[in-house]
Amino acid sequence: MQDEPDSEVVIVRGSAGAWPGALVAVVAAFAVMTAVAAAGLACAGAGDLPGGAFPRVIAAVVVMAAGGSVQMSGDAGFLAGADANLSVLPLSVSLAGALTAGYCFLRPLHNRAVARPRELIGRAVPLIVLWLLALTGAALLARHTFSISTGDSPVAAITELLDTGPTVGFRADLPTTLLFGLLWILGLLLVALLVSRRAPLPSGLVRFHAALRPAAFATTLLLLAYVVLGIAVGLVVAATQGHAARTFAVILLGLPNLAWFALTLGFGGAWEGKVDGPFGLPMPRVLDEVLRGSDLSTVDVASLAERDSRAWWLVAVAAVLLLGTGVLAAVRSPAHVRPWQHALHLGVALALATLMVCLLARVQAQFGLSLLGIGEVDDLSGQVELNPVLWRTVGLGLLWGAVAGFLGALLARPVHRRGRVDETTATGE
């Protein structure tokens, strides 16, 4: 009867001590996201924005990266109609914040096999509360309105005569930001617990250790490997093909968007989209050529290879890295797990990761200006759209993950250290 009060005191003290650690995690994550966003926007030329807009644009990028919602708005008075929307995640900023917050959350929990659910909740709640408070502050800062130059168009003469002109602005939608920001941080903490082998689980979930963690860790490492490979390619492009500032802007703002998009294409996935008008997003030239036009185009390895045969390397890279992912998952699993179980675990893990990529990497951007509602000003109207063919892409992710898991299990047999996970669980290391 005496043990229970003592354990309650430990849990209460642990929860109280979680607030300083949560504060460090939130401050560190938002500082890293702000630094990455500021560097990327500066490389993109946003540092020259008028009216002190640069800090507010940084805040908007951080809000979007942390799962928030930023709405675009357009206004051209009674002379014209303006319409604007933007839906794209700066995944480089998101990844930087996720790695920082996840590391700070897991660090105090390392080297134990089991933790009480109340202890995990007691550490998660302060982090979630402080995260939402920081996100609220960023959302309140993320708002600004810009005036749009109409050049030599008919709108320019009329707006100059009547002293009115089109504007476009942005503002964070606070309720939506807090809702999706909550889902973002909850998902991050869940993934962090699933991926880390040294982080504890509640005793009722320890038996799922062998099924979840090796495949989750290997799949996460696959995604990070594509980002590292993308950084290497980006540095080579910056050094050899010019436009270094624009290339660094892509690396610092949207590299995972392109890298994980390349992963899905490599195992046979497909996307649909179009680029219409003078506007576009930083993307490889061959991708812009496939998407350019007023109709939807299908993007897969075959359509890219019609314009550049080097696109077939995406398949080779995916095959090698997926096989390595299967071997790694098998090596980290207990010896009693059979090849078909490895196939199932990795297939499900890669399908879920592919679904996440499909939801996060989609792009919707549009700006339109019409004179007196009767016709668009071509130089100031454009649309960029890129969406996954969901069932094909996720289904092939499941298939490739299963094949890689099965082959990886066979290849890992000679180097498999038997009982590795079981012994770790048993000793509580």
Side-chain angles (χ1 to χ4, degrees):
M1 298 292 294
Q2 189 67 27
D3 291 341
E4 186 65 24
D6 291 342
S7 63
E8 294 291 337
V9 171
V10 171
I11 292 173
V12 171
R13 288 178 179 175
S15 299
W19 284 95
L23 180 61
V24 170
V26 172
V27 171
F30 271 83
V32 168
M33 287 193 294
T34 300
V36 173
L41 289 169
C43 290
D48 298 328
L49 290 172
F54 188 53
R56 297 180 180 275
V57 175
I58 294 174
V61 172
V62 170
V63 167
M64 291 190 293
S69 173
V70 174
Q71 296 181 341
M72 302 285 291
S73 61
D75 182 31
F78 68 91
L79 293 173
D83 178 41
N85 67 74
L86 175 66
S87 178
V88 57
L89 280 178
L91 288 180
S92 292
V93 182
S94 299
L95 182 61
L99 292 176
T100 304
Y103 173 79
C104 294
F105 173 71
L106 291 176
R107 193 168 183 271
L109 299 173
H110 278 173
N111 300 322
R112 285 186 294 148
V114 178
R116 295 193 175 196
R118 290 182 62 180
E119 179 185 0
L120 295 178
I121 294 173
R123 289 194 173 276
V125 167
L127 180 58
I128 294 170
V129 171
L130 294 177
W131 185 270
L132 294 180
L133 287 175
L135 189 57
T136 299
L140 294 177
L141 181 62
R143 58 183 62 200
H144 196 76
T145 301
F146 300 94
S147 297
I148 301 298
S149 173
T150 54
D152 297 327
S153 69
V155 178
I158 302 176
T159 56
E160 183 178 354
L161 178 64
L162 299 181
D163 195 23
T164 181
T167 61
V168 62
F170 64 87
R171 61 182 294 276
D173 184 346
L174 187 58
T176 305
T177 292
L178 293 180
L179 173 61
F180 286 104
L182 175 62
L183 296 178
W184 193 96
I185 190 63
L186 288 174
L188 170 63
L189 298 182
L190 177 61
V191 170
L193 287 173
L194 287 177
V195 168
S196 176
R197 185 172 60 89
R198 293 188 296 168
L201 290 173
S203 57
L205 298 178
V206 171
R207 64 181 182 273
F208 298 112
H209 179 106
L212 295 177
R213 279 184 163 166
F217 174 82
T219 303
T220 302
L221 200 62
L222 171 68
L223 296 177
L224 293 178
Y226 261 86
V227 173
V228 172
L229 187 60
I231 292 174
V233 172
L235 293 176
V236 171
V237 170
T240 60
Q241 298 187 14
H243 307 292
R246 186 173 64 184
T247 302
F248 281 115
V250 173
I251 292 175
L252 291 166
L253 294 175
L255 181 63
N257 301 67
L258 291 175
W260 296 341
F261 171 74
L263 167 63
T264 63
L265 295 183
F267 61 65
W271 296 64
E272 289 181 338
K274 63 180 177 179
V275 175
D276 186 23
F279 302 127
L281 294 176
M283 60 181 65
R285 176 185 55 80
V286 63
L287 179 58
D288 183 83
E289 291 177 357
V290 172
L291 293 175
R292 181 67 60 177
S294 58
D295 298 326
L296 284 177
S297 301
T298 299
V299 181
D300 54 19
V301 173
S303 64
L304 294 177
E306 290 178 359
R307 292 167 172 81
D308 190 337
S309 60
R310 291 175 297 179
W312 290 113
W313 280 103
L314 294 175
V315 178
V317 172
V320 171
L321 291 183
L322 282 170
L323 185 58
T325 301
V327 172
L328 178 62
V331 168
R332 294 178 66 94
S333 298
H336 63 77
V337 179
R338 299 177 179 178
W340 70 266
Q341 292 173 309
H342 284 295
L344 176 62
H345 298 164
L346 191 59
V348 171
L350 186 59
L352 291 176
T354 302
L355 177 61
M356 179 199 72
V357 170
C358 289
L359 295 177
L360 296 181
R362 63 176 63 190
V363 176
Q364 292 281 349
Q366 179 179 356
F367 180 76
L369 179 65
S370 58
L371 176 61
L372 300 176
I374 60 175
E376 289 192 346
V377 181
D378 293 337
D379 291 340
L380 291 172
S381 300
Q383 181 176 3
V384 180
E385 180 180 345
L386 186 63
N387 293 300
V389 181
L390 196 60
W391 292 111
R392 170 179 168 177
T393 305
V394 175
L396 286 172
L398 175 64
L399 177 62
W400 272 68
V403 172
F406 186 85
L407 295 178
L410 298 180
L411 293 174
R413 282 179 175 177
V415 296
H416 203 153
R417 288 172 282 178
R418 293 182 176 275
R420 176 180 177 182
V421 176
D422 295 332
E423 289 173 4
T424 301
T425 304
T427 59
E429 295 182 355

